[in-house]
Structure formats: C-alpha cells, structure tokens
Amino acid sequence: MFSWLGTDDRRKKEPEVFQTVSDGLKKLYKTKLLPLEESYKFHEFHSPALEDADFDNKPMVLLVGQYSTGKTSFIRYLLEQDFPGMRIGPEPTTDSFIAVMHGDTEGVIPGNALVVDPKKPFRKLNAFGNAFLNRFVCAQLPNPVLESISVIDTPGILSGEKQRISRGYDFAAVLEWFAERVDRIILLFDAHKLDISDEFSEVIKALKNHEDKIRVVLNKADQIETQQLMRVYGALMWSLGKIVNTPEVIRVYIGSFWSHPLLIPDNRKLFEAEEQDLFKDIQSLPRNAALRKLNDLIKRARLAKVHAYIISSLKKEMPSVFGKENKKKELIGALGDIYKRIEREHQISPGDFPNLKKMQDQLQAQDLTKFQPLKPKLLEAVDDMLANDIAGLMVLVRQEETQRPNPVVKGGAFDGTLDGPFGHGYGEGAGEGIDEAEWVVARDKPAYDEIFYTLSPVNGKVTGANAKKEMVKSKLPNTVLGKIWKLADIDKDGMLDDEEFALANHLIKVKLEGHELPSDLPAHLIPPSKRKIPE
C-alpha cells in the first residue's frame, strides 16, 4: 500500500491511499489527465477516453499480417484447441476482428453487445460504427492460457483497392486503437509471401510510437531450405528497415507455429530455440502488465500536453470577428512552424508531436474559434502527476511484484515442452547423459587421464596452477574457466583428482559446443565416487 499527499493545499485533501496500481492509475487519469483531454478536445483528435476496464483488463496480444500468414493457426497452436468462430484456409478466411478471451462456457458475443459491456475494454470501439461492429466478435472459451492473456485475431490485410473500399471502416484506425491498449503486437509474415503491400505498409506506420510492443514472426519457415531461409530472413529485415523507423533492429522469430510435421526438418533446433524465446516473451506479459499500463499513461499524458499547447496556440492566433476562415487556412498551412515554436518555448522533444499531415487534415473540420486558451492549472496538474504521482506508483508496482507469486502464462503450448524429454535442450550440453546409468564423462575419461598424468599429480591430484595451464588452452575467458573450476572441484580442496579433472574437461567441451553451463552441478555429472559427499 502506498499513500501520498495531494498537491492542492487549498483543498486540504486527505492523503490519497491507493490499494493497487490499477486503482492509482484510474484515479490519476480521472482527476488529473482527463480534465486536460476534455478541455482541448483530445478525444476528437487522438484517442477516446480511457475507462476502468482499460486499467483492469488482462494483457492482450494483437496479431497482424497479410492473409494466409497463419494468424488464426498461431492462436490455435497456443491454445491447443479450436475457438468459436475460427476459420483457417489459404484464402482470406478471417473477415472479422475476433477477441479471444476467457469464459466459463464457449460462445460468441457480437460486436454491438460487446461495446456496451462495461467489464470489457471495448466500449469506445462504437465510434467506428456498424460497419466495424458487424465485423467484431468476442470468442469466449475456458482455456488456461486465456486466464492470463487475451488474443486479438485480425482480418488478413488485403491488396489494392479491396483494402480501402470493401472494408467499410477505417482499418488502420481500428488497429491503431488496439495498438494503444495491447501489451504485445505480433506481425506475422509467410516465408513465401514477403512482399509488404502499400496497405500493410500503412498499417505498420499506423503502429508508430508502439515499436516497443512489436515482435515479428517469420512463419512457415519449415517449408524452405536453409539457404533460402537465410535469403528470406535478410529480405524481410531489409523490407522492415524501410518501414519501421527505429535505429534498433526489430526482433524476428523464425519458426513454424502449427501442430503439423515439419516439411523440411533441417532447422528443427533453430525453430525450437526461437519458439522458446517467443514463448518466454509472451509469458512475461502478466508480470509486466502494470508497468506497461503505467508507461502507456505517461505516453498519453505527454501527447495530451503537446496537444493542449497546439490547440491553445491556434486559439490565440485566431481573430475574434473578421477574417476567420482565411486565418484558419493560414494557421493550418503554417502548423509546422507552430510545432517548432512550441518545441522551442516549452523544451519539448520533436518525437512527442502528433503527425503533422494528419493533424492538418483533422483541423480542417474544426472551428478554431471554439478552442480553449491555455489553462496553466490543468497543465500543472499533469506535470505534478508525471513528476510526483507516477514515481509513487512505481514504488507500488515493485511492492506488488514482491508480494505476489510470479505470474506467467500457463497451459496450452506453453506447458507442452516444460518437463520431460521434449523440453528445450533436454539431453544436450550439460544435460547429456541425464537418463543413462553410466557416468557420461567416463566415455572420454581415458583421453582426459592421459593429459592428467602429464601434469605431475601428487597423491593422485593436480594443483590449481598445473590444471590452469591445461584449461587455458581452451581459450575460454577466465570468468568461464573460473565457473568450471568451481563446478568441478567438488570437495573444494583447491585441487583436482582424475575424476574432477575429467569433469572439468567435459564442462569445457560443453561450453565450446555452444551450450550454457549450469549454475549448480547436475546430479548425473557428479563423479560416482563422490556422490555420497554432502554438498
């Protein structure tokens, strides 16, 4: 629990007590940020007002891609069961936005009913009209994966005029709405269809300012040979580099995310490692959900502040009686200069400003004389929230993390490889020989013994100095060799007998083959003669 005093001394407010991060975010938004948004018509220009469900909902994963890239199959793979309304095929099958969420019974809730449910975070989607709501459903089903996250399946992005005309709603704007509220955005690409159409390019650009949430999956990679896969991966990175304007390289996961046999199994180990990395990323979402909501609120507050400066600047320049229309055209045309002036006067980063062209288009339909002048108290409240209240909530986030067990996504494909011989890396590296009765190091021990006896052992043991001369020949860093020494020197006497020396060499081999060293020595690697020695 965390509390702090309100800053308005005149009201002499009692100290605010927030039970949870979610409660704190709701209160701060309603009392400090929402008044600024309403005063300067933020919701008409950028994003609808947030509701309680936006702060309470589970982490959401948004899947985006051209048709037949495997979006619906990906969800089916994660859940390991079909969901209501699911259709899979090579043609554009998914023609709706489907929110796959947890429910006690299987069923489908249509869009018009969904946007009036206060417990669901979709109420503000009614602004996109019936054309969208008729293509929006919620598929509910009892599934352990959905107890921790929700998944949003989207229609495949079409090419040419189909995308712009046949939808009947602003597809990019809907995706942008979801992008603001989800925790992870997964862009799926088919290894055979790498071309990024103009429409897909526009969609990716609509996800601007959410690059930190984006991950890329190169799906169906089992259908091409290794040499082709290298070329495809390079071509995808080149294409993404032209569209996503970030200095960092976006993380691309390569694999085949469905439950069918691999067509070309040459890269099986690569696919398994990539799948584990992606699963770990998705599993971390519940743990980071509160921090993500906090981060999104800060981004929203920064944009709302900039928006207030823009609107009040336009109001200040407008005449009160004559020449309003001409002045409006002049101001909209000079909006770029107004941006630069605000940037200088208020020391605001250029990256915090909304898209210039989009803002100019939106201002055409507005009456600039009805805009509000600058209200310092509203801006001071937001500044206070960013400077003080958010810091208090950060402390509460850390407290919540320590007070509750580590929440991760469980069930479905996430449990499939956790234990047993099909776990990632089972029987490899330090795990080699785990199921064998014989000590696995014994296979190569005769070769290690030959080296051991050249190191002048005394009473059956070699000193650390002599062992070091041999171990450094591996060219591994001292930090790694030091860890190997600690694992191999089981009786901690600062010397190695023949079994410990063989074990050290085995661990060097494990590391040289590209595997990680264990933090503690596994039971099957302990030499037979030392297995009764207490650790």
Side-chain angles (χ1 to χ4, degrees):
M1 191 183 299
F2 189 87
S3 63
W4 62 89
L5 287 167
T7 55
D8 191 345
D9 293 329
R10 290 173 304 155
R11 294 183 188 174
K12 293 182 179 176
K13 291 168 71 177
E14 291 295 314
E16 294 187 66
V17 178
F18 295 146
Q19 300 295 331
T20 64
V21 175
S22 180
D23 286 341
L25 289 171
K26 288 181 208 171
K27 185 77 177 292
L28 290 177
Y29 177 69
K30 288 175 183 174
T31 58
K32 298 196 173 181
L33 184 52
L34 185 58
L36 181 75
E37 292 182 355
E38 290 175 335
S39 184
Y40 294 101
K41 299 187 175 184
F42 180 86
H43 307 137
E44 293 181 30
F45 285 85
H46 302 289
S47 173
L50 299 177
E51 297 196 331
D52 287 353
D54 290 310
F55 297 105
D56 294 332
N57 68 305
K58 295 169 187 169
M60 292 194 289
V61 178
L62 178 70
L63 300 182
V64 182
Q66 298 182 156
Y67 73 88
S68 193
T69 52
K71 296 185 296 297
T72 308
S73 299
F74 182 84
I75 300 174
R76 170 73 181 76
Y77 184 69
L78 291 186
L79 303 184
E80 293 189 340
Q81 74 176 92
D82 294 347
F83 56 89
M86 183 184 89
R87 288 175 61 209
I88 295 173
E91 75 280 6
T93 47
T94 303
D95 64 346
S96 303
F97 281 80
I98 303 177
V100 187
M101 306 181 82
H102 187 268
D104 294 331
T105 56
E106 280 197 24
V108 174
I109 304 172
N112 281 290
L114 203 54
V115 295
V116 295
D117 185 350
K119 293 181 181 178
K120 297 279 194 295
F122 306 122
R123 281 161 61 98
K124 296 298 181 180
L125 281 169
N126 59 4
F128 293 104
N130 271 330
F132 167 71
L133 295 178
N134 290 335
R135 289 282 179 269
F136 178 45
V137 297
C138 174
Q140 288 191 320
L141 67 156
N143 185 284
V145 173
L146 299 175
E147 291 176 8
S148 306
I149 59 170
S150 301
V151 188
I152 313 294
D153 193 10
T154 63
I157 294 164
L158 305 172
S159 302
E161 291 299 301
K162 291 179 184 176
Q163 176 73 11
R164 287 188 285 274
I165 294 172
S166 63
R167 295 280 189 207
Y169 59 89
D170 190 338
F171 184 75
V174 172
L175 279 181
E176 193 173 352
W177 186 94
F178 275 109
E180 288 179 8
R181 288 158 177 80
V182 300
D183 297 71
R184 186 68 73 239
I185 302 165
I186 297 180
L187 300 180
L188 280 102
F189 290 88
D190 184 332
H192 288 99
K193 292 189 299 188
L194 274 193
D195 61 305
I196 300 178
S197 64
D198 293 343
E199 290 70 30
F200 198 8
S201 176
E202 287 302 312
V203 164
I204 295 174
K205 286 174 183 174
L207 303 177
K208 187 178 181 293
N209 298 327
H210 304 290
E211 289 91 349
D212 57 317
K213 298 179 181 180
I214 295 176
R215 304 290 185 270
V216 175
V217 169
L218 180 58
N219 202 11
K220 306 183 183 180
D222 65 313
Q223 299 177 13
I224 53 178
E225 301 280 355
T226 304
Q227 188 178 9
Q228 287 177 298
L229 182 59
M230 289 174 62
R231 291 174 181 161
V232 165
Y233 179 80
L236 176 60
M237 296 300 287
W238 181 79
S239 299
L240 287 171
K242 292 200 300 179
I243 299 169
V244 183
N245 296 317
T246 56
E248 301 85 10
V249 176
I250 283 186
R251 176 67 162 100
V252 176
Y253 299 91
I254 304 170
S256 181
F257 295 92
W258 64 348
S259 53
H260 293 250
L262 299 175
L263 286 181
I264 300 172
D266 300 3
N267 298 307
R268 184 187 187 104
K269 282 193 176 181
L270 170 66
F271 298 158
E272 288 174 357
E274 293 284 280
E275 181 181 282
Q276 287 303 310
D277 288 350
L278 180 59
F279 281 5
K280 283 177 187 173
D281 185 67
I282 295 173
Q283 284 182 300
S284 71
L285 295 180
R287 186 174 66 249
N288 299 325
L291 212 51
R292 194 274 305 168
K293 287 168 185 169
L294 195 64
N295 184 53
D296 283 356
L297 188 70
I298 294 168
K299 280 201 284 190
R300 188 181 179 97
R302 290 166 71 93
L303 179 59
K305 272 183 63 182
V306 173
H307 180 76
Y309 286 130
I310 294 168
I311 296 299
S312 58
S313 294
L314 293 170
K315 168 68 175 176
K316 187 178 177 182
E317 298 289 335
M318 282 298 288
S320 54
V321 186
F322 300 112
K324 293 179 184 177
E325 278 305 310
N326 288 336
K327 188 64 176 176
K328 175 181 172 180
K329 288 178 184 175
E330 180 190 324
L331 287 172
I332 292 174
L335 190 60
D337 295 330
I338 293 172
Y339 275 19
K340 287 176 183 173
R341 192 180 74 236
I342 294 170
E343 187 185 324
R344 285 195 308 271
E345 288 178 4
H346 302 282
Q347 290 82 48
I348 296 170
S349 166
D352 287 350
F353 284 82
N355 180 274
L356 180 62
K357 178 71 170 66
K358 185 179 176 185
M359 193 71 177
Q360 287 173 324
D361 292 342
Q362 289 172 318
L363 286 169
Q364 299 287 356
Q366 296 285 338
D367 183 350
L368 272 56
T369 59
K370 292 184 178 177
F371 285 173
Q372 294 289 326
L374 197 65
K375 297 179 179 178
K377 285 185 180 177
L378 291 177
L379 286 162
E380 284 169 12
V382 174
D383 285 336
D384 177 60
M385 179 187 86
L386 293 171
N388 302 311
D389 299 326
I390 293 295
L393 276 182
M394 282 296 294
V395 175
L396 192 54
V397 167
R398 299 302 174 208
Q399 287 180 359
E400 283 191 0
E401 285 179 353
T402 56
Q403 286 169 5
R404 64 185 179 190
N406 191 15
V408 294
V409 183
K410 295 179 180 176
F414 296 101
D415 286 352
T417 60
L418 274 182
D419 302 306
F422 295 99
H424 180 61
Y426 187 90
E428 299 173 6
E432 184 185 356
I434 191 170
D435 294 328
E436 297 176 18
E438 185 187 355
W439 187 40
V440 67
V441 181
R443 298 176 194 165
D444 299 316
K445 191 169 182 295
Y448 299 145
D449 283 347
E450 285 184 22
I451 302 169
F452 177 79
Y453 289 110
T454 65
L455 300 176
S456 308
V458 178
N459 297 326
K461 293 190 176 188
V462 294
T463 62
N466 285 343
K468 179 182 176 181
K469 290 175 187 175
E470 184 61 33
M471 291 172 70
V472 294
K473 291 179 183 177
S474 66
K475 300 180 182 178
L476 288 170
N478 283 348
T479 51
V480 175
L481 293 174
K483 184 174 183 180
I484 289 172
W485 176 272
K486 287 176 183 175
L487 291 170
D489 185 14
I490 294 168
D491 51 18
K492 309 300 179 194
D493 63 353
M495 304 176 81
L496 299 181
D497 62 22
D498 61 323
E499 288 184 329
E500 291 173 329
F501 181 78
L503 175 59
N505 279 278
H506 178 77
L507 291 172
I508 287 172
K509 186 179 90 167
V510 165
K511 187 63 183 174
L512 290 174
E513 288 175 351
H515 301 286
E516 290 300 316
L517 294 172
S519 51
D520 297 303
L521 192 66
H524 71 279
L525 286 184
I526 298 174
S529 66
K530 311 221 185 271
R531 286 181 185 176
K532 292 181 181 179
I533 295 177
E535 293 183 6

